[in-house]
């Protein structure tokens, strides 16, 4: 007698999704609707009902963690201790298996090497060197990102299609050609080749495609909204024979277009696969009804979606709090005070602050350090530990204190000045021998002609700049202006602007936020003292900590209490996203807001600031258009930290958004770009 115990704890829609086994199926699984349970129960049902053996089920995830969890849950469902399912894994792990068996068809040997990111960078650097391309101006990372973008579209070098506007990218095509040839010469491939080569094998060898397609009687895909073009194509080829492909995901949580994810794979699933059945999982097991109503109302403003409305049988819960603050600093104080009050009711681990951009963590970190509130940064580094911030601090420290050898060592060759490790070691040795500081040692060695000509040139440059900046400091130039001068004259700002790197935008934003922080201090000494104390505080408090992270990093997580600060035009929705991607960019920003809200189980706070301090100026902020899209009946609105009634924000004011894309925050962000 068949055992279907795993069906007992499913609601009607979940049960329907598990037991429907005849043809293509799209499961639209809302946040907190139990999609993993459905997916694993479906695998269990396929095997238990004899529809397919363990070898005939292909289950694809995006992470090894998700694949392992899937397998362990299936084991529990089937009441087995050990169980072999060879085709449960990530896209890449499954492709490796296929590629090892058919390597010759991809011009490789079966024992090919998979190169890691470091190897890829080395390879690109070598190619750039041979092609006389300056890697100081164009980062190997940037070139690799472009190559990855092409591979995600299924393009080998011969297939690349470029627009006239992509002149810079066209110069990388030759690098791509050489890169692919070198990989083949080395009997190697990179991560993205694994799927690309599989496609090549399938398209060039119909018999191989048919063999796998016949074998996989059922195909299941998790987080389908995050798939790119080539992953979708790969799935399509493998599902040709049996047509039993089941994709699970949530189009409203599609937030990774910058990584190549294509939401149209999800939206057009029923066009790609004939006779598709669509089942919506709308019952939520995570959040209160008020939180769900706010999230549903917001996301309903998106046009490109399959459509669903989340509900719960649980409690209505507290209203979602909408708070306005006078300034970003007040916002950090207010959030800190609320967390202090929550400490007795909720564990700190279950409280999270979700920001749109990583530079926003600074004000919260400063406040939490001041009041002794333990915190952690998820998916990133604490503000004063970020490399570009440490570089800036090192520049300021060596200007302020000429004997600060560690600071000088950090920045002496940043940007590159032909001062290598060997030269620095010889300067240290000379300093130790003569009881000099590192700077004194360098000056003396130049004087005695103990330095190589090329290194001497770089050393003279930085040493004369240090003298000049110390003169600026003596002239009582304020610390904000001084850092701007240092960044400009050292070439650091230009290095960040020139170096085409996807992470550089964050680095620049972080430095601008540092300039904000410095304005709050009377002089350079007091600021450096503050940084020293902030970084020396034992931040590895044991036990419970508040979580600080971006909304992108929060996907898949849940917390009792969620704070969503900085809901202001230009910041959220982010101006750059709207400028680059127009309406689709605005819709993705709205999906990001939806993800943020649906992380909350019990309490959610949305807030914005009426003013932001930016590089020495107070700039008027405009509340996010997303705030106007929240349902009044599910909100509790509060003006916080207002000095007088004239300072209060009118929640009922009618803000005229100039267009769908260009926001009233435009001037503010233009100022950012130009500075």
């Amino acid at each position: 007698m068949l055992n279907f115990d795993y069906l007992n704890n499913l609601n009607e829609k979940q049960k329907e999704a598990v037991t429907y086994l005849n043809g293509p199926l799209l499961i639209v699984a809302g946040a907190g609707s139990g999609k993993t349970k459905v997916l694993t129960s479906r695998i269990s049902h396929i095997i238990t009902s004899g529809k397919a053996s363990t070898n005939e089920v292909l289950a694809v995830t995006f992470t090894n963690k998700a694949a392992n969890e899937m397998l362990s849950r299936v084991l529990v469902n089937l009441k087995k201790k050990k169980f072999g399912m060879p085709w449960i894994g990530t896209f890449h792990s499954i492709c490796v298996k296929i590629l090892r068996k058919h390597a010759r068809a991809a011009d490789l040997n079966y024992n090919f090497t998979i190169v890691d990111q470091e190897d890829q960078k080395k390879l690109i650097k070598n190619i750039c060197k041979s092609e006389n391309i300056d890697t100081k101006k164009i980062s190997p990372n940037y070139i690799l990102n472009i190559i990855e973008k092409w591979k995600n579209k299924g393009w080998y070098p011969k297939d690349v299609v470029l627009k006239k506007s992509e002149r810079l990218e066209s110069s990388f095509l030759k690098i791509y050609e050489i890169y692919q040839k070198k990989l083949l010469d080395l009997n190697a491939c990179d991560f993205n080749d694994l799927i690309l080569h599989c496609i090549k094998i399938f398209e060039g060898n119909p018999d191989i495609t048919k063999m796998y397609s016949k074998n996989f009687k059922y195909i299941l895909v998790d987080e389908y909204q995050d798939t790119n073009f080539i992953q979708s194509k790969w799935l399509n080829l493998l599902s040709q024979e049996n047509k039993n492909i089941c994709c699970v995901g949530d189009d409203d949580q599609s937030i990774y277009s910058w990584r190549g994810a294509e939401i149209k794979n999800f939206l057009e699933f029923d066009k790609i696969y004939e006779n598709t059945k669509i089942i919506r999982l709308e019952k939520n097991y995570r959040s209160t009804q008020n939180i769900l109503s706010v999230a549903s109302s917001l996301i309903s403003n998106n046009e490109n979606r399959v459509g669903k409305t989340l509900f719960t049988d649980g409690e209505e819960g507290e209203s979602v709090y909408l708070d306005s603050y006078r300034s970003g600093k007040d916002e950090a104080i207010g959030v800190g005070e609320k967390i202090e009050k929550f400490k007795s009711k909720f564990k700190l681990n279950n409280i999270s602050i979700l920001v749109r951009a990583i530079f926003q963590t600074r004000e919260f970190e400063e406040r939490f350090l001041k009041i002794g509130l333990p915190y952690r940064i998820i998916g990133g580094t604490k503000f004063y530990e970020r490399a570009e911030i440490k570089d800036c601090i090192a520049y300021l420290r060596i200007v302020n204190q000429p004997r600060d050898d560690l600071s000088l060592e950090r920045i002496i060759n940043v940007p590159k000045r032909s001062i290598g490790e060997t030269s620095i070691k010889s300067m240290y040795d000379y300093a130790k021998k003569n009881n000099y500081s590192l700077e004194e040692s360098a000056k003396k060695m130049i004087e005695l002609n103990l330095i190589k000509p090329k290194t001497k040139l770089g050393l003279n440059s930085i040493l004369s700049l240090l003298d000049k900046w110390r003169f600026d400091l003596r002239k009582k130039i304020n610390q904000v202006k001084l850092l701007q001068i240092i960044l400009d004259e050292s070439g650091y700002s230009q290095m960040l602007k020139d170096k085409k790197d996807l992470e550089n935008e964050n680095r620049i934003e972080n430095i601008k936020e540092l300039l904000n922080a410095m304005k709050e201090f009377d002089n350079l000494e007091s600021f450096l003292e503050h940084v020293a104390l902030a970084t020396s505080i034992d931040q590895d408090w044991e036990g419970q900590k508040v979580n600080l992270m971006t909304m992108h990093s929060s996907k898949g997580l849940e917390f009792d209490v969620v704070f969503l600060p900085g809901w202001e035009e230009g910041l959220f929705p982010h101006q750059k996203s709207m400028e680059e991607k127009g309406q689709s960019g605005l819709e993705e920003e709205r999906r990001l807001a939806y993800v943020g809200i649906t992380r909350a189980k019990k309490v959610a706070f949305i807030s914005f600031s009426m003013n932001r301090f930016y590089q020495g100026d107070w700039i008027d902020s405009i509340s996010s258009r997303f705030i106007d899209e929240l349902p009044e009946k599910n909100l509790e609105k509060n003006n916080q930290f207002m000095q007088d009634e004239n300072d209060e924000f009118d929640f009922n004011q009618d803000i005229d958004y100039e267009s769908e894309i260009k926001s009233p925050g435009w001037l503010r962000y233009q100022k950012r770009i130009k500075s």
Side-chain angles (χ1 to χ4, degrees):
M1 192 170 137
L2 295 178
N3 183 357
F4 294 140
D5 284 356
Y6 49 83
L7 297 176
N8 294 339
N9 294 320
L10 301 175
N11 66 43
E12 286 308 305
K13 283 292 177 185
Q14 288 175 331
K15 199 174 286 183
E16 186 184 1
V18 167
T19 55
Y20 181 81
L21 303 178
N22 299 309
L25 173 65
L26 181 68
I27 302 174
V28 185
S33 63
K35 73 174 177 67
T36 306
K37 183 195 271 188
V38 167
L39 210 49
T40 52
S41 298
R42 184 175 167 85
I43 295 171
S44 307
H45 192 66
I46 289 165
I47 294 164
T48 306
S49 54
K51 292 286 187 178
S53 69
T54 55
N55 192 49
E56 294 169 329
V57 177
L58 171 65
V60 192
T61 67
F62 275 86
T63 65
N64 289 318
K65 185 184 173 187
N68 292 333
E69 187 184 351
M70 194 181 283
L71 185 57
S72 64
R73 288 204 190 190
V74 171
L75 283 171
V76 170
N77 284 346
L78 298 179
K79 299 179 179 175
K80 295 186 183 281
K81 288 182 180 177
K82 200 173 177 185
F83 195 62
M85 287 201 70
W87 299 105
I88 283 186
T90 63
F91 280 98
H92 295 103
S93 68
I94 301 291
C95 283
V96 168
K97 282 187 181 181
I98 295 171
L99 204 49
R100 291 272 182 223
K101 287 184 180 179
H102 311 283
R104 292 282 184 196
D107 302 317
L108 291 164
N109 293 321
Y110 77 94
N111 60 344
F112 61 84
T113 304
I114 304 168
V115 297
D116 61 20
Q117 221 167 16
E118 278 308 302
D119 291 331
Q120 286 180 273
K121 275 195 276 187
K122 281 178 195 168
L123 197 51
I124 292 291
K125 275 181 183 174
N126 291 339
I127 296 168
C128 288
K129 198 173 179 181
S130 66
E131 294 298 309
N132 295 316
I133 293 168
D134 189 355
T135 53
K136 289 178 189 174
K137 290 192 173 179
I138 299 181
S139 149
N141 276 343
Y142 185 75
I143 298 170
L144 281 169
N145 277 316
I146 299 298
I147 291 172
E148 183 179 354
K149 185 175 83 173
W150 289 335
K151 289 186 178 186
N152 285 341
K153 290 182 177 181
W155 293 346
Y156 284 102
K158 63 178 176 58
D159 307 313
V160 173
V161 178
L162 291 168
K163 300 171 187 166
K164 285 182 181 177
S165 60
E166 297 175 318
R167 278 187 299 177
L168 181 63
E169 295 189 7
S170 67
S171 66
F172 301 156
L173 188 53
K174 191 177 180 184
I175 297 174
Y176 183 21
E177 286 173 7
I178 300 168
Y179 173 75
Q180 283 302 105
K181 187 175 183 309
K182 282 201 178 281
L183 283 175
L184 287 175
D185 291 345
L186 294 164
N187 189 37
C189 59
D190 64 27
F191 232 52
N192 295 294
D193 282 331
L194 297 173
I195 302 182
L196 190 63
H197 289 340
C198 267
I199 297 283
K200 180 182 180 179
I201 292 167
F202 290 158
E203 290 188 327
N205 303 272
D207 54 327
I208 295 175
T209 314
K210 192 167 184 176
M211 177 182 74
Y212 282 102
S213 186
K214 277 185 99 167
N215 179 69
F216 296 137
K217 291 183 179 176
Y218 288 89
I219 296 173
L220 300 95
V221 188
D222 193 15
E223 302 285 6
Y224 186 64
Q225 78 282 345
D226 294 335
T227 55
N228 57 34
F229 170 81
I230 198 166
Q231 288 163 339
S232 174
K233 188 175 182 177
W234 182 82
L235 290 165
N236 192 251
L237 287 164
L238 287 174
S239 59
Q240 283 180 354
E241 288 291 318
N242 293 304
K243 311 289 185 189
N244 288 320
I245 182 167
C246 166
C247 291
V248 184
D250 185 1
D251 53 318
D252 291 334
Q253 295 186 67
S254 178
I255 57 173
Y256 296 131
S257 67
W258 49 279
R259 279 195 333 210
E262 296 197 13
I263 193 172
K264 73 174 185 180
N265 293 342
F266 198 100
L267 299 177
E268 296 177 5
F269 185 88
D270 57 343
K271 293 187 180 111
I272 300 166
Y273 299 97
E274 286 182 14
N275 303 314
T276 289
K277 185 173 180 68
I278 298 175
I279 296 174
R280 290 170 173 81
L281 304 182
E282 297 173 303
K283 187 174 181 178
N284 178 282
Y285 294 91
R286 176 188 297 157
S287 308
T288 64
Q289 187 58 57
N290 272 322
I291 291 168
L292 296 177
S293 296
V294 167
S296 295
S297 176
L298 177 71
I299 201 63
S300 68
N301 290 277
N302 272 5
E303 291 176 12
N304 295 302
R305 59 192 293 260
V306 175
K308 64 180 177 306
T309 304
L310 298 181
F311 70 92
T312 179
D313 288 344
E315 57 186 30
E316 190 173 321
E318 296 178 34
S319 297
V320 171
Y321 298 95
L322 177 59
D323 296 335
S324 72
Y325 290 91
R326 188 176 60 243
S327 68
K329 191 174 182 179
D330 280 352
E331 188 175 45
I333 292 170
V335 169
E337 287 189 353
K338 286 180 170 68
I339 293 173
E340 288 288 346
K341 287 175 186 171
F342 279 132
K343 275 168 58 175
S344 58
K345 191 176 177 184
F346 301 105
K347 290 180 177 177
L348 290 182
N349 281 352
N350 283 325
I351 299 174
S352 194
I353 300 167
L354 311 182
V355 297
R356 173 60 181 86
I358 195 67
F359 77 86
Q360 291 173 263
T361 67
R362 198 271 307 172
E363 281 185 310
F364 294 99
E365 290 188 62
E366 297 265 19
R367 183 62 191 167
F368 295 171
L369 287 168
K370 193 170 183 177
I371 62 176
L373 187 64
Y375 72 91
R376 66 170 68 83
I377 303 285
I378 306 286
T381 311
K382 290 178 176 177
F383 186 80
Y384 287 113
E385 292 172 12
R386 293 169 195 167
E388 61 278 9
I389 301 301
K390 290 177 86 167
D391 289 344
C392 291
I393 301 297
Y395 267 113
L396 291 167
R397 279 182 175 150
I398 189 61
V399 169
N400 188 59
Q401 214 289 76
R403 298 192 69 84
D404 189 337
D405 291 357
L406 290 174
S407 290
L408 180 57
E409 184 185 351
R410 182 176 182 93
I411 57 88
I412 199 166
N413 202 38
V414 182
K416 296 274 191 272
R417 300 184 180 97
S418 302
I419 307 167
E421 293 295 324
T422 308
S423 298
I424 294 169
K425 186 179 181 304
S426 66
M427 283 185 278
Y428 263 126
D429 290 343
Y430 193 82
K432 190 177 178 183
K433 198 174 175 180
N434 296 283
N435 198 25
Y436 289 155
S437 70
L438 188 61
E439 187 174 340
E440 287 168 337
S441 173
K443 286 177 177 175
K444 197 67 181 172
M445 288 177 77
I446 289 170
E447 191 185 313
L448 297 171
N449 214 21
L450 300 174
I451 301 282
K452 291 182 207 169
K454 198 175 178 183
T455 304
K456 186 177 174 179
L457 200 66
L459 267 178
N460 272 325
S461 163
I462 183 63
L463 292 172
S464 61
L465 281 170
L466 286 171
D467 287 340
K468 189 264 178 189
W469 297 330
R470 285 169 190 147
F471 179 71
D472 290 337
L473 185 59
R474 286 195 297 275
K475 287 196 304 185
K476 303 295 181 191
I477 287 178
N478 79 62
Q479 64 271 21
V480 176
K481 184 66 181 170
L482 179 64
L483 180 55
Q484 288 171 322
I485 290 169
I486 290 171
L487 291 170
D488 186 35
E489 294 180 352
S490 68
Y492 198 99
S493 292
Q494 200 59 46
M495 175 186 77
L496 291 181
K497 286 174 187 171
D498 286 347
K499 205 169 185 181
K500 300 292 181 184
D501 191 310
L502 296 182
E503 293 175 5
N504 263 16
E505 190 178 320
N506 279 340
R507 293 187 187 109
I508 292 166
E509 286 296 324
N510 284 333
I511 290 173
K512 288 175 178 176
E513 187 59 27
L514 178 67
L515 291 162
N516 281 353
M518 291 172 69
K519 188 70 181 179
E520 297 175 22
F521 296 85
D522 294 332
N523 52 51
L524 180 59
E525 286 81 3
S526 61
F527 170 68
L528 290 176
E529 188 177 292
H530 165 78
V531 173
L533 290 170
T535 52
S536 69
I537 290 173
D538 181 15
Q539 294 178 40
D540 291 316
W541 296 286
E542 291 197 12
Q544 299 287 316
K545 298 176 189 178
V546 176
N547 304 287
L548 268 165
M549 69 188 84
T550 64
M551 282 182 263
H552 281 104
S553 299
S554 75
K555 190 168 173 288
L557 304 176
E558 59 182 38
F559 307 92
D560 287 336
V561 184
V562 168
F563 291 90
L564 298 153
W567 280 43
E568 298 138 33
E569 281 293 304
L571 183 55
F572 192 47
H574 204 282
Q575 190 64 45
K576 187 172 182 285
S577 181
M578 294 190 291
E579 283 173 25
E580 290 181 353
K581 292 182 279 186
Q583 188 65 29
S584 69
L586 177 60
E587 293 209 351
E588 183 156 337
E589 290 287 297
R590 193 176 280 113
R591 291 196 292 271
L592 193 54
Y594 173 85
V595 167
I597 295 168
T598 54
R599 298 313 91 197
K601 293 164 70 174
K602 296 175 181 176
V603 190
F605 289 87
I606 295 168
S607 60
F608 63 94
S609 167
M610 292 164 62
N611 302 278
R612 286 275 171 197
F613 198 69
Y614 189 74
Q615 285 188 261
D617 294 319
W618 282 103
I619 299 165
D620 289 342
S621 302
I622 293 140
S623 60
S624 169
R625 67 186 70 196
F626 296 157
I627 285 172
D628 290 347
E629 297 170 359
L630 306 177
E632 294 272 342
K633 64 179 182 179
N634 305 105
L635 297 177
E636 183 178 312
K637 298 174 179 179
N638 298 295
N639 283 302
Q640 306 277 0
F641 293 94
M642 299 304 168
Q643 290 174 335
D644 58 64
E645 59 186 31
N646 296 325
D647 203 20
E648 292 202 356
F649 180 78
D650 179 8
F651 284 102
N652 299 314
Q653 67 177 300
D654 186 19
I655 298 174
D656 181 27
Y657 296 102
E658 294 169 10
S659 73
E660 281 299 300
I661 306 308
K662 191 180 281 189
S663 73
W666 173 253
L667 290 175
R668 170 184 164 198
Y669 285 88
Q670 280 297 95
K671 187 170 180 178
R672 276 195 177 191
I673 293 161
K674 287 171 184 173
S675 58

